[in-house]
């Protein structure tokens, strides 16, 4: 009797102990570095800081600078940033840049011989779609209903958030713009898709083109105003610029020309209050945030927004140690990688102030691709302020990246007119182009007959080289896969003029195809 | 003679109350006499030895004496003398293989009754060589258990693999339990090897549970095997003090074959002859002949002192007290570990043995200085024509590469000696491990037993890293001054009850056990890292990172076991464990892990009794399911969470206000998978435990097959855009391990004063990935690992149908003389180009065969032991050779500095490095002689009656291998920056009083 009583008491105690302890299994993160979703959206700061993350999706690699808490798995976090991977895809396979490194994937790009396992393709694709995933999540969580349910009913906050949402829509559109240009046939996701579950559908360029049109036109006029206090944010001019680029490239994307619409939006940009910077090199220095020419920058800072990608990469990869870059350019990093091919460096007249090259102990020809000293080093981007002082840090650049700037709009205007768009004049086009050439101290065009498409392609190189436009431009002018040879195209120094047309597009990464069975690979890959 | 004795025996009862004589025969179980057996009287010095007929005689025998009959290799018997004149005794053979009690999960069992596959390794002081860490005593001793330390560093951790790994992304480490307290495998901050908390001289035995029928009782943590460590206990009787100390000398054995100063000068002059920059390059050469590897390594002296006291307080409280001090200096300059350990163990038995109490507490205080292992790679690459020191150098007086302008070159090789001497990376750790176990057998119902185990593993560590701002490695960054702290508190509460009963029906024995376990793991820490000379906008040292973290997880389990044996011949065991982990979502939290085993003690069968050759034979069959929840995705992988950015450097601008930029920190959602759950591994095991020739030959043979399903693949790709990372941890995949293990122990000689025993074990394991994604018909692969150096490539691959972790390389084509042709590989898909599609899985770093060999020879008071271990079929990737093999001008002289080359670079003659060539995947099969120990025991030292032993040992004396790199035993296979294992010569003394 005694024994059973004891046993019964003991088992009761242990049962009670067990039940209470089982509840211990419901744990939550203990620090406030990590909070649950619901808790996060009940803090007013989240609405601004998640927005900041979406902006930073073009600049940084993760949540701790320069390479910590990464967003994307990669051995080199610099390569996993948007700007560096985008620049690599847009410049290395063209007549502008040569790179001495043989890192996995670079040869495929340099020689225009890439395939679907190319590492930079994968990094860039994943980065852009991660940005889109963030945008969609933001839009999902910040609807008025959601905010009301969470008790975030303060009208100031709700008004602010309404503008934030429009900014996010423009950022999402900008991400899709890159997708339509680089990959064409991509998975399409909006806030209507739920996280994690369904496999997204693939959409082609035609669909994306009209979706982008409607999206950007829907938020036009409801974005932050264009003034210095809103530096770094998207504004109407940014939305117009994306539309203008869409329309300019419409023949490539959809087969139909839209040059007239392109000019409509270019006019709006020309009247938005931007001015050309007097000194070309100020556009690419440590304090280029003071410029009135840049329409939308990707912002970096040597102390506050650091990464091994971005403008730090653009500079460090271009500098060699014999250039004494710390003293001469404000950034004491010299990775000896990129330099200009002769197809770029020979385009400039003597005295053209845009020809920012280092030629000492360099050859102009790039006969030995692996030798960094062959080819002039590009010193367009520097970490020096206007007054010659260096930026705030000697290892990470303050220089912002001008994604869209007024000079580009000028050249687009000229091109749209030449291609038959209505609403612009050839005289105006000549004036705009001459404004750029005057700034550059290059000889002015005297007659409008000198303004040809071929001239414009070269002028775009002279004005916009190293800014991530070249591949798109060459494709639009029909000179990327056909009718134009440059050093190392197709793997040989002499180049090959005509290569397979499939290279007008990048393939979808092979790793993505093995997961999303809804996707079909781009033709030829 | 015999008649005389018989006569005396007949009248001995008359002499009972005065002096008496006792005699008799000592025989073995089969009736044959034992010669040389000892008969003693407890408390007296009277003893006798049996003659060739097994007969002994004791005289005088006091009344009520206890007579002890013993012979090595047989179970001792103690009988009360009750005045009889004859005592004939049969002694039963016993070695480690039979009646010894082994610890299993939640209990103990006689080895002969064990139904699972387990190995026991006794911590034998006489064969122990240089072993500052606990796992050093296990190397090569147990079949199927492979221990690889991370190199010769004093704080090197070790990788322990039992029967191959059963996971890809989750941990492959076994569960380690000390005296009933499980250790957290994630380790302690500041300590390289989490087993360093335990002083090896405190360990009594290691029991390794290998198959699921033995490990399933540990359920969710047991998929990779379990190692149970039992420490030494107190003893009844008088106090025994013991001192065990040693002094050892460690020295480097070999070095990477790089060019010396003269050879490098020749190489540079010939390569740049006629080049446009010839004067510049040749001008950079120095005049010295520096052997950089010689400069960074040193000979060191290490010492260990251990003191222990063993006894029983008032004969009721057995205790053991121990103190230890270890000082190991690594052969890489500045590396060092100092450790103080102490332990106390109390094991009283109260209430007439009804309540067994054991209290164990161990404390450890360790200080480490970690040397920068990058110095090893730097020493291989550094220009041998430059001197170590340069008076004019502002960088600590060390030679450093500077550019034209005199500024330090950021990308150049850093002076290896400066990497060691101008940095100070240290840690201080306190660790306490303790637990109390109460085992109570009910007074009124002794078949029922309750056991309560409460334990705590607490550690507090802190450390920091200081790099001089003038150090070449960090001059451009402005130095480094970082501090960190960590506190860990792991606690466990376990309770179980057991009911055991014998039945007459079929002569059965039955016991059932049920229990509950609650475990809590909590860690918190922070770090603050600053620059020294680089200042931020306010003039304070710039912040590199400031972080704090705190996380915890809980495990709650219910478990039970049922043992049923029939007539000591047929043994059945069933276990079941239900585990809940806080790491998974409610719906996936609980996992059920059953197991079943059957053993047949063949020797106890009638028809076996007469088979003299076989002393024991047991056949075992086991099946079980175990789990794995030691994932590496943190403690909350199933929950959607938002994370703040850390530090100043990850912010974005939100416009300006009053001319000042507005920087805001970032917040991002993390990817999550609410469906994440346990991995589970099912194991089938069949084994034989055998003992032949009167126990002179014994061992085991096991065959097993393990299948892991719901394999957690931490890099399961998500469709881009659907989640907040391109990878999420998901249960997709399965893998298999199949293998065979054989171990044997042979007593070759036991005659006169000689004794020779040889033991060995060998195991074969074959690993195969069965599935890596949930798409049928796809053969996905996952690439990882890195060839190292700048622009490294993914080197390893997990692919379906192949073992995990194979090298993914091109197939090299060789010329007629066997030299590889640069860049020429087999074009597997015949598309005319060498691309990623031409890579293929080739060889693996995990071995096919592993084994160990131990031999012990004893003669009178001398003993000699040799032990070694090896493996077959493991391949290393010689990253040192592959990254050095580029002789092109632009690679030897790039960025204004010269880098040295290895001999292998000259042999291949490659102009540009070919890191993905299978030429560098080299066979690293080896056999290493771990320890050679020679010792002499003594009974008195300089006429003082002290017992003890003096010994000398050599560790790592020889490695038999064809591998061309430094050391074939590299965990993970990629040979780069490997801290070489030294040759150690040791002299030790053990004294007991």
């Amino acid at each position: 009797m005694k024994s059973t009583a004891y046993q019964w008491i003991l088992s009761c105690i242990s049962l009670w102990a067990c039940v209470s302890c089982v509840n211990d299994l419901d744990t939550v993160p203990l620090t406030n570095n990590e909070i649950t979703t619901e808790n996060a959206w009940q803090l007013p700061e989240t609405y601004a800081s998640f927005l900041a993350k979406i902006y930073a999706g073009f600049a940084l690699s993760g949540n701790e600078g320069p390479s910590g808490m990464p967003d994307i798995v990669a051995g080199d976090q610099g390569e996993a940033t948007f700007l560096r991977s985008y620049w690599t895809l847009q410049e290395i396979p063209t007549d502008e840049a040569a790179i001495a490194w043989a890192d996995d994937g670079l040869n495929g790009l340099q020689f225009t011989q890439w395939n679907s396992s190319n590492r930079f393709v994968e990094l860039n694709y994943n980065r852009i779609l991660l940005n889109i995933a963030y945008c969609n999540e933001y839009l999902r969580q910040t609807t008025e209903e959601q905010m009301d349910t969470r008790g975030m009913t303060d009208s100031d906050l709700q008004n602010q958030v309404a503008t934030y949402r429009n900014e996010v829509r423009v950022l999402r559109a900008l991400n899709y713009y890159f997708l339509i240009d680089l990959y064409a046939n991509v998975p399409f996701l909006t806030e209507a898709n739920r996280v994690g579950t369904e496999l997204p559908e693939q959409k082609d360029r035609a669909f994306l083109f009209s979706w982008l049109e409607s999206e950007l036109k829907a938020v036009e006029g409801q974005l932050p105003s264009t003034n210095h206090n809103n530096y770094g944010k998207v504004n109407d001019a940014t939305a117009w610029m994306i539309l203008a680029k869409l329309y300019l490239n419409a023949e490539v994307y959809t087969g139909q020309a839209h040059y007239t619409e392109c000019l409509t939006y270019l006019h709006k940009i020309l009247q938005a209050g931007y001015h050309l910077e007097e000194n070309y090199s100020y556009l690419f220095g440590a304090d280029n945030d003071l410029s009135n020419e840049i329409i939308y920058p990707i912002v970096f800072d040597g102390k506050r927004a650091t990464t091994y990608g971005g403008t730090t990469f653009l500079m460090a990869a271009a500098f060699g140690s014999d250039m004494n870059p710390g003293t001469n350019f404000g950034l004491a990093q010299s990775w000896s990688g990129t330099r200009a091919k002769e197809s770029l460096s020979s385009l400039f007249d003597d005295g053209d102030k845009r020809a920012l090259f280092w030629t000492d102990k360099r050859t102009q020809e790039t006969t030995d691709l692996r030798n960094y000293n062959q080819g002039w080093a590009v010193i367009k981007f520097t970490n020096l302020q206007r007054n010659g002082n260096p930026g705030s840090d000697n290892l990470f650049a303050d220089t912002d990246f001008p994604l869209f700037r007024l000079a580009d709009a000028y050249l687009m205007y000229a091109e749209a007119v030449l291609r038959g768009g209505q609403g612009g004049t050839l005289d105006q086009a000549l004036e705009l182009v001459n404004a750029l050439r005057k700034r550059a101290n290059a000889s002015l065009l005297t007659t409008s007959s000198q303004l040809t498409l071929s001239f414009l392609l070269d002028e775009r190189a002279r004005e916009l080289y190293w800014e991530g436009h070249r591949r798109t431009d060459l494709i639009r002018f029909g000179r990327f896969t056909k009718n134009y040879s440059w050093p190392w195209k197709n793997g040989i120094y002499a180049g090959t003029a005509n290569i397979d047309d499939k290279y007008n597009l990048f393939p979808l990464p092979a790793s993505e195809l093995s997961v999303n069975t809804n996707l079909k690979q781009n033709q030829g890959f | 003679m015999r008649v005389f004795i018989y006569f005396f025996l007949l009248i001995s009862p008359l002499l009972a109350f005065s002096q008496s004589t006792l005699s008799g025969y000592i025989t073995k179980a089969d009736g044959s006499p034992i010669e040389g057996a000892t008969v003693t009287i407890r408390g007296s010095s009277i003893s006798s030895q049996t003659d060739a007929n097994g007969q002994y005689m004791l005289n005088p025998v006091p009344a009520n004496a206890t007579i002890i009959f013993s012979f090595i290799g047989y179970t001792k018997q103690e009988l009360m003398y009750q005045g009889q004149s004859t005592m004939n005794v049969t002694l039963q053979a016993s070695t480690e293989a039979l009646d010894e009690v082994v610890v299993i999960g939640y209990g103990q069992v006689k080895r002969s009754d064990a139904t699972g596959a387990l190995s026991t390794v006794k911590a034998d002081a006489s064969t122990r060589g240089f072993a500052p860490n606990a796992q050093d005593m296990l190397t090569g001793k147990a079949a199927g258990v492979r221990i690889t330390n991370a190199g010769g560093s004093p704080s090197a951790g070790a990788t322990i693999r039992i029967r191959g790994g059963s996971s890809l992304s989750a941990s492959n480490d076994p569960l380690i339990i000390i005296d009933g307290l499980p250790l957290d495998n994630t380790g302690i901050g500041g300590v390289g090897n989490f087993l360093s908390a335990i002083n090896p001289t405190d360990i009594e035995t290691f029991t390794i549970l290998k198959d699921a029928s033995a490990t399933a009782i540990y359920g969710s943590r047991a998929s990779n095997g379990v190692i149970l460590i039992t420490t030494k206990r107190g003893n009844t009787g008088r106090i025994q003090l013991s001192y065990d100390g040693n002094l050892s000398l460690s020295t480097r054995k070999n070095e990477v074959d790089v060019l010396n100063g003269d050879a490098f000068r020749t190489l540079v002059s010939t390569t740049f002859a006629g080049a446009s920059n010839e004067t510049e390059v040749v001008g950079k050469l120095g005049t010295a002949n520096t052997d950089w590897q010689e400069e960074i390594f040193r000979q060191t002296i290490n010492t260990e002192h251990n003191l222990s006291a063993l006894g029983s307080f008032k004969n009721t409280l057995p205790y053991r007290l121990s103190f230890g001090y270890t000082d190991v200096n690594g052969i890489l300059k500045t590396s060092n570990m100092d450790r103080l350990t102490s332990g106390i163990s109390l094991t009283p038995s109260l209430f007439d043995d009804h309540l067994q109490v054991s209290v164990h507490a161990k404390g450890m205080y360790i200080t480490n200085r970690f040397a920068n292992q990058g110095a090893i790679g730097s020493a291989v690459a550094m220009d041998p024509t430059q001197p170590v020191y340069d008076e004019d150098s502002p960088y600590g007086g060390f030679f450093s590469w500077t550019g034209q302008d005199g500024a330090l070159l950021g990308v150049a090789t850093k002076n290896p000696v400066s990497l060691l001497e101008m940095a100070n990376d240290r840690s201080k750790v306190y660790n306490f491990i303790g637990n109390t176990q109460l085992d109570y057998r009910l007074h009124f119902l002794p078949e029922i037993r309750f056991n309560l185990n409460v334990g705590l593993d607490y550690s507090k560590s802190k450390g920091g890293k200081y790099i001089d701002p003038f150090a070449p490695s960090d001059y451009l960054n402005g130095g480094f001054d970082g501090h960190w702290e960590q506190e860990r508190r792991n606690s466990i509460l376990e309770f179980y009850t057991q009911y055991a009963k014998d039945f007459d029906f079929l002569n059965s024995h039955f016991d059932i056990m049920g229990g509950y376990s609650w475990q809590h793991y909590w860690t918190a820490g922070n770090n603050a890292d600053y620059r020294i000379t680089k200042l931020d906008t306010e003039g304070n040292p710039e912040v590199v990172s400031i972080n704090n973290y705190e996380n915890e997880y809980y495990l709650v389990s219910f478990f039970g076991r049922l043992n049923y044996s029939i007539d000591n011949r047929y043994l059945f065991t069933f276990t079941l464990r239900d585990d809940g982990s806080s790491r998974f979502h409610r719906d996936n939290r609980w996992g059920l892990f059953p197991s079943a085993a059957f053993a047949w003690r063949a020797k106890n069968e009638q028809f076996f009794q007469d088979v003299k050759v076989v002393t024991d034979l047991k056949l075992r069959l086991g099946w079980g399911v175990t789990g794995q929840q030691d994932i590496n995705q943190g403690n909350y992988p199933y929950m959607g969470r938002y994370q703040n950015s850390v530090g100043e450097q990850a912010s974005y601008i939100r416009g300006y206000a009053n001319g000042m930029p507005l920087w805001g920190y970032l917040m991002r959602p993390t990817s999550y998978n609410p469906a994440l759950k346990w991995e589970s591994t099912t194991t089938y095991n069949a084994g034989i435990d055998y003992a032949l020739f009167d126990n002179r030959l014994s061992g085991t043979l096991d065959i097993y097959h393990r299948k892991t399903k719901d394999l957690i693949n931490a890099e399961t790709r998500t469709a881009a855009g659907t989640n907040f990372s391109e990878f999420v941890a998901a249960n997709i995949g399965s893998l298999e391990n199949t293998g065979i293990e054989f171990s044997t122990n042979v007593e070759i000689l036991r005659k006169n004063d000689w004794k020779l025993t040889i033991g060995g074990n060998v195991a074969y394991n074959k690993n195969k990935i069965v599935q890596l994604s949930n798409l049928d018909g796809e053969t996905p692969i996952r690439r990882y690992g890195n060839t190292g150096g700048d622009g490294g490539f993914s080197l390893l691959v997990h692919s379906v149908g192949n073992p995990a972790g194979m090298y993914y390389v091109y197939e090299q084509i060789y010329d007629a003389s066997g030299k590889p042709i640069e860049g020429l590989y087999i074009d597997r898909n015949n598309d005319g180009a060498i691309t990623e599609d031409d890579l293929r899985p080739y060889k693996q770093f995990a071995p096919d065969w592993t084994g160990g060999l131990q031999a012990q020879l004893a003669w009178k008071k001398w003993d000699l032991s040799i032990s070694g271990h090896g493996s077959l079929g493991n391949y290393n990737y010689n990253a040192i050779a592959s990254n050095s093999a580029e002789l092109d001008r632009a690679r030897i002289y790039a960025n204004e500095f010269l880098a040295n080359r290895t001999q292998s670079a000259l042999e291949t003659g490659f102009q540009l490095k070919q890191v993905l060539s299978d030429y560098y995947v080299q066979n690293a099969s080896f056999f290493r002689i771990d320890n050679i120990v020679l010792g002499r025991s003594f009974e008195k030292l300089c006429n003082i009656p002290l017992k003890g032993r003096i010994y000398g040992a050599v560790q790592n004396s020889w490695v038999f291998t064809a591998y061309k790199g430094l050391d074939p035993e590299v965990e993970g296979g990629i040979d780069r920056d490997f801290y070489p294992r030294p040759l150690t010569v040791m002299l030790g003394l053990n004294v007991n009083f």
Side-chain angles (χ1 to χ4, degrees), chain A residues 2-3 6-7 10 14 17-18 21-22 24-37 40-41 45-46 49-53 55-56 59-60 62-66 69-73 102-104 115 117 122 125-126 129-130 133-134 137 140-141 164 167 187 189 194-196 198-200 228-233 289 296-301 303-306 321-322 324 332 334-336 361 370-371 393-396 511-512 514-517, chain B residues 280 403-405 407 409 411 442 444-445 448 450 476-477 495 516 518 522 534-537 542 544-556 558 580-584 586 589-590 635-636 638-659 663-670 672 715 717-727 775 778 780 783 790-794 835-837 888 890-891 895-896 912:
Chain A
K2 238 164 58 171
S3 62
Y6 271 134
Q7 285 170 30
L10 259 161
S14 38
C18 293
C21 289
V22 169
D24 281 340
L25 294 176
D26 288 320
T27 52
V28 285
L30 294 169
T31 49
N32 44 21
N33 283 343
E34 267 197 357
I35 34 187
T36 59
T37 309
W41 288 107
E45 306 87 78
T46 304
S49 48
F50 189 17
L51 178 64
K53 179 67 182 176
Y55 274 101
L60 306 178
N63 256 21
E64 185 180 6
M69 291 179 76
D71 297 327
I72 289 182
V73 173
D103 297 7
D104 191 9
N115 60 25
S117 357
E122 196 178 314
Y125 179 89
N126 282 324
L129 279 154
L130 179 63
Y134 286 159
E137 172 73 353
R140 236 176 260 127
Q141 300 281 2
Y164 293 168
E167 290 179 61
L189 296 129
R194 285 170 307 157
V195 176
E198 320 113 26
L199 292 177
H228 194 250
N229 279 348
N230 282 329
Y231 183 75
K233 303 186 201 178
D289 51 290
Y296 181 67
I298 301 179
V299 178
F300 297 97
D301 185 88
K303 298 285 188 208
R304 307 303 296 259
T306 60
S321 57
D322 63 341
N324 198 0
S334 47
W335 303 349
S336 316
K361 296 223 194 72
R370 300 277 159 247
N371 188 343
D393 191 283
N394 68 336
L395 291 180
F396 297 104
S511 48
E512 167 79 339
S514 66
V515 180
N516 188 342
T517 45
Chain B
E280 182 191 339
Q404 263 192 349
D405 48 348
L409 288 173
V411 291
L442 279 184
F444 31 83
L445 202 63
I448 296 190
F450 293 104
L476 292 174
N477 289 328
F495 177 77
Y516 162 79
W518 172 95
W522 174 90
K534 197 178 208 189
L535 306 175
D536 65 11
T537 45
E542 182 181 276
V544 177
S545 94
I546 295 188
N547 213 348
N548 73 317
Y549 62 92
E550 184 183 347
N551 51 54
E552 60 179 2
Y553 72 96
Y554 289 85
L555 283 174
V556 172
F558 299 92
S581 165
S582 66
R583 281 181 168 147
F584 303 110
R586 277 198 145 222
R589 196 164 270 171
W590 292 89
N635 292 329
Y636 316 100
Y638 70 89
M639 226 189 262
R641 286 154 290 140
Y642 276 71
Q643 286 176 330
N644 273 334
S645 60
V646 170
E648 268 197 339
Q649 294 184 51
S651 359
Y652 206 76
I653 205 168
R654 290 291 303 155
Y656 282 76
N658 302 324
W663 293 99
Y665 63 81
L666 314 175
M667 178 91 104
R668 71 173 177 200
T670 57
Y672 62 96
E715 292 187 6
R717 290 207 98 94
T718 53
T722 56
N723 209 323
F724 306 118
S725 164
E726 73 273 36
F727 293 117
L775 295 172
E778 281 288 317
R783 295 179 69 183
D790 294 326
F793 288 71
S794 285
T835 61
E836 289 95 352
D837 297 327
D888 181 68
R891 309 314 304 164
N895 294 318
E896 296 188 85
L912 296 176

Side-chain angles (χ1 to χ4, degrees), chain B residues 888-965:
Chain B
D888 181 68
R889 279 179 188 166
R891 309 314 304 164
I892 295 187
Y893 184 73
N895 294 318
E896 296 188 85
F897 72 97
L898 289 163
N900 200 359
R901 292 289 174 267
T902 57
Q903 270 301 125
S904 61
L906 295 186
E907 281 162 12
T908 54
F910 291 157
Q911 293 299 302
L912 296 176
K913 60 184 178 186
Q914 304 292 323
V915 290
L916 285 181
S917 162
D918 66 3
Y919 174 75
Y920 294 108
V921 177
Q922 298 169 350
N923 194 331
S925 303
F926 72 95
F927 185 79
R928 183 191 304 273
I929 311 256
D930 290 318
N931 279 306
I932 304 177
V933 183
L934 176 67
R936 189 190 191 282
S937 317
F938 51 81
E939 299 279 313
K940 43 183 197 226
L941 190 63
C942 309
N943 280 322
I944 311 169
L946 283 177
K947 285 172 53 172
R949 176 169 170 267
I950 186 167
Y951 60 97
V954 179
Q955 189 192 56
N956 193 17
S957 51
W958 205 264
V959 183
F960 299 97
T961 182
Y963 180 59
K964 300 173 217 155

